[in-house]
Structure formats: C-alpha cells, structure tokens
C-alpha cells in the first residue's frame, strides 16, 4: 500500500467482474456533463454490454482495470493501458483512462491514492511515461493532475467513429 493510499484509507485492487455495475456507475456519475438522474444511471449501469466490455478489458494483456475500496465499498476506478511502441527507443507508455471517484467522496485524497497506485503499476510494468487526457471543461481535474506532477504538454484530438 502506498503512503497516499494509507493516508486516504484506500485499498487498491484489480477490478472483478462483479464490480462492473459499480464501475459503470462511477464513470457515468463522473461525466463532464451530467444529463442523467441517479435512477437512469443505475438502470444503464446494469446493462449486460458492460459485462462484455469488462471481459474484453480483462482478457487484454495490456489493460488493467483497478478499483479503490474504502471500508469495503468500491469508491473509485481507473484503467491503465500499457502501450508498447517504437518512439524513444521502444519506451513503453502507460495511459490512464476513466479516472473516477465517487462525487460524494472527492477531496479525501482517494484520487491521489489511485493515481499513485497507477503510476507505480506503470513503472513496474516497464513504462517510462504515464499519460492521460481530461475533458477541457474539467478545470479542477486539470489542477489536480498538475499538482500530482503531470505536465499539460500536448493538445489532444479525437475522432468519433
């Protein structure tokens, strides 16, 4: 357990299939623009396609889905993808995705503990760089990541297919 995790009272572990609905709920609760009610989120989170997606992530040797637990309850989630490549003499990089903490528990260093765990996991996986993207509207998240040492060095682009 990292020092930050101990301070936050958080336990990090790999996600299990039975965590899927809670993970989907956390991701939807953390949407940059919230348009769903709690009931709509709960209904959506129970859809079987989330289990299919979990199975696909779990089967990938490059992806690991983590959850943060506080008092035995899942309160946060993030995914780490280790990406092999040719840039910088074949340096691997790790991408953090879907970093979400229960909105009612923000400000308790849970996110800090999660990111510290992910960075150490990336290091142990051979990555020489950790990257992430964050919605431009999430100014508080940007301050959070800068406080943790991330440099806002690139402009991101997406193409929906």
């Amino acid at each position: 357990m990292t020092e930050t995790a101990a301070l936050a009272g958080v336990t990090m572990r790999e996600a299990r299939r039975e965590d899927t609905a809670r993970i989907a709920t956390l991701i939807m609760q953390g949407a940059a623009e919230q348009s769903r009610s709690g009931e709509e989120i709960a209904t959506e989170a129970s859809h079987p396609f989330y289990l299919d997606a979990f199975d696909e992530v779990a089967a990938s040797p490059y992806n690991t889905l983590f959850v943060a637990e506080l008092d035995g309850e899942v309160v946060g989630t993030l995914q780490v993808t280790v990406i092999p490549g040719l840039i910088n003499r074949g340096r691997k990089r790790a991408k953090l995705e879907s970093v979400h903490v229960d909105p009612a528990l923000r400000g308790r260093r849970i996110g800090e503990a999660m990111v510290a765990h992910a960075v150490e996991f990336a290091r142990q996986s051979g990555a020489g760089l950790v990257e992430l993207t964050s919605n431009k509207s999430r100014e508080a998240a940007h301050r959070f990541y800068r406080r943790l040492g991330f440099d806002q060095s690139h402009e991101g682009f997406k193409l929906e297919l």
Side-chain angles (χ1 to χ4, degrees):
M1 178 183 301
T2 67
E3 182 180 332
T4 304
L7 287 172
V10 170
T11 301
M12 295 296 301
R13 65 168 172 81
E14 284 193 40
R16 297 185 289 257
R17 197 169 197 266
E18 59 265 24
D19 298 320
T20 303
R22 178 65 178 144
I23 292 167
T25 297
L26 288 166
I27 291 168
M28 286 183 272
Q29 286 175 330
E33 295 177 16
Q34 191 54 258
S35 61
R36 299 179 194 190
S37 69
E39 186 176 308
E40 289 171 322
I41 288 173
T43 299
E44 171 74 10
S46 66
H47 197 286
F49 54 60
Y50 288 109
L51 290 171
D52 294 341
F54 177 89
D55 291 342
E56 191 170 356
V57 170
S60 168
Y62 300 107
N63 289 285
T64 306
L65 188 59
F66 290 102
V67 294
E69 285 187 333
L70 184 64
D71 300 324
E73 298 294 322
V74 173
V75 297
T77 188
L78 63 79
Q79 180 175 331
V80 180
T81 302
V82 177
I83 306 166
L86 297 179
I87 194 167
N88 289 329
R89 297 183 173 184
R91 175 181 69 184
K92 291 180 187 175
R93 61 193 159 114
K95 183 163 185 163
L96 306 189
E97 293 277 346
S98 297
V99 180
H100 293 282
V101 173
D102 185 321
L105 299 173
R106 290 185 185 149
R108 295 180 56 179
R109 300 187 75 184
I110 295 168
E112 185 177 341
M114 290 169 41
V115 172
H117 180 83
V119 168
E120 185 55 31
F121 175 83
R123 185 178 285 112
Q124 290 179 8
S125 298
L129 175 79
V130 176
E131 64 185 15
L132 57 86
T133 60
S134 180
N135 189 292
K136 285 186 176 192
S137 69
R138 297 176 161 267
E139 294 177 15
H142 301 169
R143 286 190 301 275
F144 168 74
Y145 292 123
R146 284 191 298 271
R147 184 172 59 79
L148 297 183
F150 286 82
D151 180 27
Q152 223 168 344
S153 62
H154 288 69
E155 187 76 20
F157 297 90
K158 293 183 180 185
L159 176 65
E160 296 243 3
L161 304 177

